[in-house]
Coordinates of all heavy atoms in Angstrom, one line a residue:
I294 N -13.3 1.3 -129.8 CA -13.5 0.0 -129.3 C -14.7 0.0 -128.3 O -14.9 0.9 -127.6 CB -12.3 -0.5 -128.5 CG1 -11.0 -0.4 -129.3 CG2 -12.5 -1.9 -127.9 CD1 -9.7 -0.7 -128.5
G295 N -15.5 -1.1 -128.4 CA -16.6 -1.2 -127.5 C -16.5 -2.3 -126.5 O -16.3 -3.5 -126.9
G296 N -16.5 -2.1 -125.2 CA -16.6 -3.1 -124.2 C -18.1 -3.5 -124.0 O -18.9 -2.7 -123.6
V297 N -18.4 -4.7 -124.4 CA -19.8 -5.1 -124.5 C -20.0 -6.4 -123.7 O -19.1 -7.0 -123.2 CB -20.2 -5.4 -126.0 CG1 -19.9 -4.1 -126.9 CG2 -19.4 -6.6 -126.6
P298 N -21.3 -6.8 -123.5 CA -21.6 -8.0 -122.7 C -21.0 -9.3 -123.4 O -20.9 -9.3 -124.7 CB -23.1 -8.1 -122.7 CG -23.6 -6.7 -123.0 CD -22.5 -6.1 -123.9
R299 N -20.7 -10.3 -122.6 CA -20.2 -11.5 -123.2 C -21.3 -12.1 -124.2 O -20.9 -12.7 -125.2 CB -20.0 -12.5 -122.1 CG -19.4 -13.9 -122.5 CD -19.0 -14.6 -121.3 NE -18.6 -16.0 -121.6 CZ -19.4 -17.1 -121.5 NH1 -20.6 -16.9 -121.0 NH2 -18.9 -18.2 -121.9
G300 N -22.5 -11.9 -123.9 CA -23.6 -12.5 -124.8 C -24.1 -11.5 -125.8 O -25.2 -11.5 -126.2
W301 N -23.2 -10.6 -126.3 CA -23.6 -9.5 -127.2 C -24.2 -10.0 -128.5 O -25.1 -9.4 -129.0 CB -22.3 -8.7 -127.6 CG -21.3 -9.4 -128.4 CD1 -20.4 -10.3 -127.9 CD2 -21.1 -9.3 -129.8 NE1 -19.6 -10.7 -128.9 CE2 -20.0 -10.1 -130.1 CE3 -21.7 -8.6 -130.8 CZ2 -19.5 -10.3 -131.4 CZ3 -21.2 -8.7 -132.1 CH2 -20.1 -9.6 -132.4
R302 N -23.8 -11.2 -129.0 CA -24.4 -11.6 -130.3 C -25.8 -12.1 -130.2 O -26.6 -12.1 -131.2 CB -23.5 -12.8 -130.9 CG -22.2 -12.4 -131.5 CD -21.4 -13.6 -132.1 NE -20.9 -14.4 -131.0 CZ -21.4 -15.6 -130.6 NH1 -22.5 -16.0 -131.2 NH2 -20.8 -16.3 -129.6
T303 N -26.2 -12.6 -129.0 CA -27.5 -13.2 -128.8 C -28.4 -12.5 -127.9 O -29.5 -13.0 -127.5 CB -27.3 -14.7 -128.3 OG1 -26.6 -14.6 -127.0 CG2 -26.5 -15.5 -129.3
D304 N -27.9 -11.3 -127.4 CA -28.7 -10.5 -126.4 C -28.8 -11.3 -125.1 O -29.8 -11.1 -124.3 CB -30.1 -10.1 -126.9 CG -30.0 -8.9 -127.8 OD1 -28.9 -8.3 -127.9 OD2 -31.1 -8.5 -128.4
S305 N -27.9 -12.2 -124.8 CA -27.9 -13.0 -123.6 C -27.4 -12.1 -122.4 O -26.2 -11.7 -122.5 CB -27.1 -14.2 -123.7 OG -27.0 -14.9 -122.5
N306 N -28.2 -11.9 -121.4 CA -27.8 -11.1 -120.3 C -27.2 -9.7 -120.7 O -26.2 -9.3 -120.3 CB -26.7 -11.8 -119.4 CG -27.4 -13.0 -118.7 OD1 -28.1 -12.8 -117.7 ND2 -27.1 -14.1 -119.2
A307 N -28.0 -9.1 -121.6 CA -27.6 -7.8 -122.2 C -28.9 -7.1 -122.5 O -30.0 -7.7 -122.6 CB -26.8 -8.1 -123.5
K308 N -28.8 -5.8 -122.7 CA -29.9 -5.0 -123.1 C -30.4 -5.5 -124.5 O -29.5 -5.7 -125.4 CB -29.5 -3.5 -123.2 CG -29.3 -2.9 -121.8 CD -28.9 -1.4 -122.0 CE -28.7 -0.7 -120.7 NZ -28.3 0.7 -120.9
P309 N -31.6 -5.6 -124.8 CA -32.1 -6.0 -126.1 C -31.9 -4.9 -127.1 O -32.0 -3.7 -126.8 CB -33.6 -6.3 -125.9 CG -34.0 -5.5 -124.7 CD -32.7 -5.4 -123.8
G310 N -31.8 -5.3 -128.4 CA -31.8 -4.3 -129.4 C -30.6 -3.5 -129.7 O -30.6 -2.5 -130.4
F311 N -29.4 -3.9 -129.1 CA -28.2 -3.1 -129.2 C -27.3 -3.6 -130.4 O -26.2 -3.1 -130.6 CB -27.4 -3.2 -127.9 CG -27.6 -2.0 -127.0 CD1 -28.9 -1.9 -126.4 CD2 -26.7 -1.1 -126.7 CE1 -29.1 -0.8 -125.5 CE2 -26.9 0.0 -125.9 CZ -28.1 0.1 -125.3
G312 N -27.9 -4.4 -131.3 CA -27.1 -4.8 -132.5 C -26.6 -3.7 -133.3 O -25.4 -3.7 -133.7
P313 N -27.3 -2.6 -133.6 CA -26.8 -1.5 -134.3 C -25.6 -0.8 -133.6 O -24.7 -0.3 -134.3 CB -28.0 -0.6 -134.5 CG -29.2 -1.4 -134.4 CD -28.8 -2.5 -133.4

Side-chain angles (χ1 to χ4, degrees):
I294 304 173
V297 305
R299 182 169 174 262
W301 66 280
R302 283 181 289 102
T303 60
D304 279 351
S305 174
N306 291 283
K308 292 180 179 179
F311 267 66

